[in-house]
């Protein structure tokens, strides 16, 4: 009889051990050989990820331009596997998608909605996505109602292409047909935000 290992934040393991874990009820990521368990995201975090993902699915996946996932496992180094809130892969690159995780190369776009651990998203995950060669990293700040687009430059480092607000329209050269006025995200009539 096999037992499920007791996984908690701070557990050290190799990438192979991490990928061999049984499915977890709780979201977890491996960063530099250390497991990090995530609390349930707040409703606004889920709302923003769901609305953006829906528009990406309708304009990218439903038109055959690529595949869009919410919280797909992405191997970004030999000691790190992350679970971005949204992942987009162009149709000509779907071969990078393995049976359990994306491990055959970097996705075209990863999206993180900032959570309580903003440092991880803004610093360490940025470094990992950058070194893995992810062409675009989108960061949504639900508190500030901004979407920052980081773009991989020719030298392999991220540069900030733009910081968008609800007055702007999100586009990307990776999917030229995609266009989303961000008022549909940040000012969506169904959005419920926590009050201070």
């Amino acid at each position: 009889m096999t037992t499920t290992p007791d996984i908690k934040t701070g557990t050290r393991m190799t990438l192979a051990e991490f990928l061999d874990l049984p499915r977890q009820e709780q979201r977890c990521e491996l960063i530099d050989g250390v497991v990090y368990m995530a609390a349930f995201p707040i409703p606004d975090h889920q709302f923003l990820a769901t609305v953006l993902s829906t528009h990406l699915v309708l304009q990218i996946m439903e038109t055959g331009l690529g595949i869009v996932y919410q919280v797909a496992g992405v191997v970004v180094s030999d000691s790190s596997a992350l679970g971005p809130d949204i992942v987009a892969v162009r149709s000509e690159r779907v071969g990078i998608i393995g049976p359990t995780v994306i491990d055959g190369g970097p996705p075209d776009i990863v999206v993180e909605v900032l959570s309580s651990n903003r440092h991880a998203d803004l610093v360490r995950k940025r470094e990992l996505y950058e070194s893995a060669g992810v062409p675009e990293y989108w960061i949504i700040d639900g508190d500030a109602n901004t979407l920052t687009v980081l773009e991989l430059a020719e030298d392999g480092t991220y540069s900030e292409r733009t910081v968008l607000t609800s007055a702007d329209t999100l586009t990307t050269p990776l999917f030229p047909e995609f266009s989303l006025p961000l008022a549909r995200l940040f000012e969506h009539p169904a959005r419920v935000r926590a009050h201070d």
Side-chain angles (χ1 to χ4, degrees):
M1 180 174 151
T2 59
T3 58
T4 302
D6 182 25
I7 304 300
K8 58 183 184 252
T9 292
T11 301
R12 297 199 64 83
M13 61 179 54
T14 66
L15 178 63
E17 291 169 332
F18 181 77
L19 295 177
D20 198 39
L21 287 173
R23 286 182 190 251
Q24 299 292 310
E25 299 274 333
Q26 190 178 359
R27 186 169 161 186
C28 61
E29 296 178 309
L30 184 71
I31 301 176
D32 303 319
V34 179
V35 174
Y36 292 88
M37 307 299 287
F40 291 117
I42 64 170
D44 192 53
H45 177 288
Q46 282 298 92
F47 181 88
L48 294 171
T50 300
V51 171
L52 178 56
S53 177
T54 299
H55 284 281
L56 287 166
V57 166
L58 291 173
Q59 295 187 51
I60 292 173
M61 201 153 77
E62 292 299 315
T63 57
L65 300 174
I67 295 181
V68 177
Y69 295 106
Q70 274 196 277
V71 195
V74 178
V75 173
V76 292
S77 77
D78 58 4
S79 63
S80 299
L82 304 178
D85 291 305
I86 304 171
V87 176
V89 178
R90 289 177 292 149
S91 56
E92 62 268 25
R93 298 190 63 245
V94 296
I96 69 170
I97 302 167
T100 58
V101 293
I102 298 171
D103 60 357
D108 293 291
I109 299 170
V110 296
V111 182
E112 296 280 4
V113 180
L114 292 181
S115 60
S116 57
N117 189 359
R118 297 168 70 90
H119 180 79
D121 294 331
L122 295 171
V123 179
R124 188 59 188 136
K125 288 185 182 181
R126 174 186 171 142
E127 294 168 347
L128 288 167
Y129 292 138
E130 181 181 79
S131 65
V134 176
E136 289 191 11
Y137 176 25
W138 299 354
I139 303 168
I140 299 175
D141 186 336
D143 293 339
N145 285 340
T146 60
L147 190 152
T148 301
V149 177
L150 301 178
E151 184 175 50
L152 204 61
E154 286 186 18
D155 67 358
T157 62
Y158 277 138
S159 63
E160 188 177 283
R161 186 167 75 216
T162 188
V163 178
L164 304 171
T165 68
S166 59
D168 300 309
T169 297
L170 173 64
T171 60
T172 173
L174 296 171
F175 297 97
E177 301 83 354
F178 176 78
S179 177
L180 175 62
L182 287 178
R184 292 186 185 170
L185 178 68
F186 295 125
E187 297 176 14
H188 194 289
R191 186 176 180 198
V192 178
R193 301 179 70 181
H195 300 289
D196 298 280

